[in-house]
Amino acid sequence: MIRGIRGAITVERNEAEEIVDATETLLKEMIRANDVTASDVSFVLISVTEDITAAFPAQALRRIEGWTYVPVMCMREIPVPNSLPRCIRVMMTVETTKKQEEISHIYLRDAVTLRPDLSLTKKPEM
C-alpha cells in the first residue's frame, strides 16, 4: 500500500544553513516516527512558502545516509493570504503495510501542513 506522510516546520530566518538544517530535522523525524527506509519511499515533495529564497531545501535529503537516490522535487508555493510565514512542508509517499490512520504526521515549531481555507478569504472584485 502507498501512504502519504506529511510534515512541516518553520524557520526563524531566510538563511541557507537554517533552511537546510530545519528540513533535515523534519525529514529525520518523519523517517524515525514512521520507521521508513529509503527503499520504502516512492517520492518526496518539498514545498516552501514564497519568503524562503536563500536555499534549496531538498539538499537536506542528500545529507541523510542512504537517501542519495530518493526522488525529490522542491517547489515554491504560490502566495496565499494568512499563510504561515517561512514554512517548509514535506509530503513523502511510502510503501508500507501501515494503515493511513497509523501514519505519524510531523509538525515542528508551530507549523501546520494545511494552508489557509481560501474560501474564507475575500476575493478581489473585478
Side-chain angles (χ1 to χ4, degrees):
M1 303 286 263
I2 299 292
R3 301 288 184 213
I5 303 171
R6 295 183 308 273
I9 192 168
T10 58
V11 292
E12 293 283 325
R13 295 170 304 282
N14 181 31
E15 294 178 1
E17 187 174 338
E18 183 177 352
I19 292 165
V20 176
D21 287 349
T23 306
E24 182 178 7
T25 297
L26 175 60
L27 288 165
K28 284 182 173 178
E29 184 58 23
M30 292 171 72
I31 292 164
R32 185 204 59 76
N34 292 286
D35 195 27
V36 174
T37 65
S39 62
D40 299 330
V41 177
S42 302
F43 192 78
V44 176
L45 172 65
I46 302 173
S47 68
V48 297
T49 51
E50 74 280 357
D51 50 2
I52 293 181
T53 58
F56 186 60
Q59 295 169 7
L61 195 64
R62 304 303 179 231
R63 289 183 178 181
I64 301 171
E65 188 175 339
W67 286 67
T68 302
Y69 299 107
V70 170
V72 61
M73 184 172 123
C74 190
M75 59 185 246
R76 181 162 288 117
E77 297 175 1
I78 296 170
V80 175
N82 304 318
S83 187
L84 190 63
R86 293 177 309 282
C87 188
I88 302 161
R89 294 176 178 80
V90 174
M91 169 60 101
M92 184 183 302
T93 57
V94 298
E95 191 171 334
T96 180
T97 56
K98 288 184 178 183
K99 295 178 181 176
Q100 188 64 45
E101 57 271 13
E102 297 172 332
I103 298 290
S104 296
H105 303 290
I106 308 299
Y107 308 101
L108 304 175
R109 301 183 194 160
D110 300 322
V112 293
T113 294
L114 300 177
R115 299 182 72 183
D117 183 352
L118 297 180
S119 66
L120 299 178
T121 60
K122 185 177 179 180
K123 299 200 185 325
E125 295 183 26
M126 298 292 208

